[in-house]
Amino acid sequence: MKGYQVLMGYFPATTEATPKTDERKLIAPVWHTIVLIVIMVLLSLSQMHQTQKLSAMNLSSRLPLYIFMICFELSLLLYVWGLGLRKTGTRVSDLIGGKWATASDFGRDVGVALLFWVVVVAMLGAMNKILGGNQGALEAVKDLLPQSPAEMVVWVLLSVTAGFCEETVFRGYFQKQFFALTGRVEIAIVLQAIVFGIGHVYQGTKSAFVITIYGALFGILAAKRKSLRPGMMQHAAQDSFSGIAASILARHKYF
């Protein structure tokens, strides 16, 4: 909780309780958002079955799987842009927000991302203590972990792609769209976090709950900073680090 307060104190507070009306315009047709939510639900259900089969496949290389996952992340972003944003004249850069006009702008976002990482680690630790261990989630991702140097390189590429695409889709598209529909930033943050959690149900209900909280923290960060850049950096860095670290630990039988 203390880390969260520090994080919030670092961010400049908005001067208005509610953003301006022109920020509430829909960034895509409502049907487009409904279809995307349905896609997320169906894919999550499908992944529950695919994850169970993955351990039995005994993959000799995970590179084709990683490349498929990269293409999938990009296809989600393409759907959001091609069939959604273009219809309202919204640019992807409008979702991302912020800018790096100077080196100090970049450094500031790096600092925010690192501070946010501390908050995320504290949250994950607290959730693990409250909910207990989650062996099911570990088993769900264990077979996805990189094994060779080549797989580790592509894993990092996958993590960067996921960090960019998922933050754009969830904290950018969904959060702005839900705000346009409800007029409440806090409701938009909660709704996008729920959709984000649903997308990870294949890891188990405990993990889905934790990831929902995780998504809400990213939503708060995006709302406070009015930019997805720090979240993208933290998301990509954490996925990269946790995947490689978990792979090394698994190789030495630590879990």
Side-chain angles (χ1 to χ4, degrees):
M1 184 67 182
K2 185 177 180 182
Y4 173 81
Q5 292 171 339
V6 171
L7 177 66
M8 292 299 97
Y10 183 86
F11 300 139
T14 54
T15 56
E16 299 176 351
T18 304
K20 296 178 182 179
T21 305
D22 59 0
E23 294 181 2
R24 279 197 58 189
K25 73 171 186 175
L26 289 171
I27 59 173
V30 175
W31 67 261
H32 181 271
T33 304
I34 294 173
V35 170
L36 185 54
I37 292 173
V38 171
I39 289 173
M40 298 302 301
V41 172
L42 293 178
L43 284 172
S44 183
L45 294 174
S46 173
Q47 282 181 296
M48 290 178 67
H49 299 292
Q50 295 301 323
T51 301
Q52 295 170 359
K53 296 177 182 179
L54 193 60
S55 58
M57 293 173 65
N58 194 22
L59 296 174
S60 59
S61 173
R62 290 156 185 80
L63 293 179
L65 178 61
Y66 293 167
I67 293 171
F68 172 80
M69 293 169 72
I70 289 172
C71 292
F72 170 72
E73 294 282 355
L74 293 174
S75 67
L76 279 183
L77 184 60
L78 182 61
Y79 172 81
V80 166
W81 171 75
L83 297 178
L85 302 183
R86 289 182 65 191
K87 291 185 177 295
T88 62
T90 305
R91 300 169 299 178
V92 172
S93 60
D94 295 331
L95 300 187
I96 296 173
K99 62 179 181 178
W100 292 332
T102 65
S104 62
D105 292 336
F106 174 76
R108 186 178 300 110
D109 277 350
V110 170
V112 172
L114 290 173
L115 182 57
F116 183 65
W117 200 338
V118 174
V119 173
V120 167
V121 170
M123 182 277 294
L124 292 175
M127 290 293 99
N128 185 62
K129 192 168 185 179
I130 294 170
L131 299 175
N134 193 354
Q135 189 63 32
L138 292 176
E139 293 300 325
V141 300
K142 196 171 182 180
D143 295 304
L144 293 173
L145 297 176
Q147 301 299 319
S148 67
E151 288 181 0
M152 290 183 180
V153 170
V154 182
W155 174 269
V156 171
L157 179 59
L158 170 60
S159 299
V160 171
T161 304
F164 179 82
C165 294
E166 291 182 12
E167 290 309 307
T168 301
V169 171
F170 290 95
R171 265 59 72 178
Y173 171 82
F174 273 125
Q175 189 156 307
K176 287 183 181 295
Q177 188 78 331
F178 287 141
F179 171 70
L181 292 169
T182 66
R184 300 286 295 274
V185 174
E186 59 271 26
I187 294 177
I189 290 172
V190 170
L191 290 177
Q192 65 80 19
I194 290 173
V195 177
F196 189 58
I198 288 173
H200 293 81
V201 167
Y202 68 94
Q203 294 183 21
T205 52
K206 282 186 180 180
S207 283
F209 176 75
V210 172
I211 290 170
T212 298
I213 304 299
Y214 183 60
L217 289 178
F218 275 101
I220 293 171
L221 176 66
K224 287 290 184 179
R225 292 296 296 169
K226 296 188 180 298
S227 172
L228 304 182
R229 294 167 189 256
M232 286 177 173
M233 288 190 285
Q234 195 280 336
H235 192 150
Q238 180 164 320
D239 282 4
S240 298
F241 175 80
S242 60
I244 292 174
S247 175
I248 294 172
L249 291 173
R251 193 178 304 168
H252 291 85
K253 310 298 182 183
Y254 285 109
F255 76 84

